[in-house]
Amino acid sequence: MKRIAVYPGSFDPLTLGHVNIIMRGREIFDKLIVAVSSTIAKDYLFTISERVEIIKDVFKKNNAKIEVDFFEGLLIDYLHRKGASSILRGIRTVSDFEYEYQMALANKKLDESVETVFMMTEGEYSYLSSTVIKEIFKFGGDVSNMVPKAVVSYLVKKLK
Ligand code: ADP
């Protein structure tokens, strides 16, 4: 049986922390679907299609076992549509843990065959979040060692 996992997130925009989880995640699954979620509640810098385009661009030469997509509605329903059995998520801090714990239990309640797999951030990425990057960039700071090279160009274009 093929092991398909979904890595859902806002990815607004993709950071080197996300890239690290994707690279490690694809080692343990046959296919990893990076799925941009469209929560209306949040205020995003990039549209869903821009976020999908950015991730596709970053992985265009290195896309073995990776699919990039977006979804609306319940994550569990999306997993069913894609024939996926696992959810991949990254953990940085204790506050990440609390949120992730709740989501994992809720998803388990909706479908007990689905497993959420957590990966700890690697030390050098532990402080990285899309929010921090947007803040630094907005005030003219250098984010070139926090996001993939292509993402810097998308940020420049967006905030010009
Ligand atoms: P969401 O809005 O769903 O939290 P994010 O794009 O912020 O979307 O994050 C997607 C996933 O990636 C989450 O599981 C988050 O904990 C994880 N993640 C984000 N940044 C890092 C990082 N620097 N190291 C490890 N995991 C990360």
Side-chain angles (χ1 to χ4, degrees):
M1 199 184 76
K2 257 188 143 191
R3 296 211 147 266
I4 304 175
V6 172
Y7 178 34
S10 308
F11 306 110
D12 186 44
L14 186 78
T15 72
L16 288 179
H18 295 132
V19 170
N20 177 258
I21 299 289
I22 295 169
M23 302 298 278
R24 288 158 65 203
R26 78 165 170 193
E27 292 300 314
I28 58 171
F29 295 106
D30 298 312
K31 182 161 129 188
L32 182 62
I33 304 170
V34 183
V36 177
S37 62
S38 51
T39 322
I40 326 151
K42 281 198 191 174
D43 213 6
Y44 295 115
L45 177 62
F46 293 97
T47 65
I48 296 172
S49 48
E50 285 170 336
R51 284 177 271 150
V52 168
E53 183 191 328
I54 292 171
I55 304 168
K56 281 190 175 159
D57 189 355
V58 169
F59 286 96
K60 68 176 175 232
K61 287 195 193 125
N62 192 11
N63 58 5
K65 300 209 280 184
I66 293 174
E67 181 182 320
V68 186
D69 193 14
F70 69 95
F71 71 99
E72 282 164 305
L74 274 185
L75 176 60
I76 286 290
D77 292 338
Y78 179 71
L79 263 86
H80 293 160
R81 289 203 293 280
K82 298 302 257 184
S85 53
S86 311
I87 299 167
L88 178 65
R89 294 286 286 178
I91 299 246
R92 286 159 297 190
T93 54
V94 176
S95 57
D96 271 354
F97 173 83
E98 283 179 18
Y99 175 72
E100 297 294 341
Y101 177 70
Q102 196 178 22
M103 291 305 292
L105 291 190
N107 282 320
K108 197 83 188 162
K109 223 21 184 202
L110 293 173
D111 181 345
E112 63 174 43
S113 72
V114 165
E115 290 295 348
T116 304
V117 174
F118 294 106
M119 279 189 170
M120 289 298 155
T121 183
E122 288 192 352
E124 62 188 298
Y125 304 115
S126 59
Y127 68 95
L128 276 186
S129 73
S130 302
T131 308
V132 162
I133 280 152
K134 284 181 279 190
E135 283 294 299
I136 295 175
F137 190 79
K138 209 161 64 186
F139 296 112
D142 180 14
V143 296
S144 59
N145 53 5
M146 304 175 192
V147 295
K149 221 190 224 143
V151 175
V152 180
S153 331
Y154 283 99
L155 281 166
V156 169
K157 252 190 281 168
K158 179 57 98 179
L159 293 177
K160 215 160 44 190

